[in-house]
Amino acid sequence: MKDRIKSLLEENLPTVDLESDFLFSEMDSIAMTTAMMILSEEFKIELTSEDATPKNFMSLDSLTSLVKSKLKEK
């Protein structure tokens, strides 16, 4: 799943360093919104503004954990 998320985000957010130790700092509000929309559509989950936290967007691993937790809620 992590590889799929990375691939999706690389395609749509080419200027964001997805290997960053603090992914949240790499994204402006448009990139964050774009990432959330892409993940919502791809995985058929609901991501809200409350999910756009530094903790959830710390790294690809934390973003993957967020998606997995949302999938479990379904």
Side-chain angles (χ1 to χ4, degrees):
M1 179 178 289
K2 179 180 174 181
D3 290 337
R4 180 65 184 140
I5 290 172
K6 182 178 181 183
S7 176
L8 286 166
L9 296 182
E10 282 176 338
E11 290 173 21
N12 293 283
L13 301 169
T15 61
V16 175
D17 178 9
L18 297 172
E19 299 299 325
S20 173
D21 290 334
F22 192 48
L23 187 57
F24 188 83
S25 68
E26 293 286 324
M27 297 182 158
D28 61 15
S29 60
I30 294 172
M32 183 87 50
T33 302
T34 300
M36 291 176 62
M37 287 174 42
I38 290 166
L39 296 175
S40 291
E41 289 176 21
E42 177 70 17
F43 296 101
K44 309 293 187 247
I45 57 175
E46 183 178 346
L47 295 172
T48 66
S49 59
E50 293 174 2
D51 296 313
T53 65
K55 179 183 173 188
N56 289 335
F57 280 79
M58 180 66 69
S59 64
L60 273 176
D61 288 332
S62 62
L63 202 49
T64 302
S65 293
L66 171 63
V67 171
K68 286 180 179 179
S69 72
K70 292 291 183 173
L71 285 170
K72 286 180 184 176
E73 290 176 11
K74 284 177 55 171

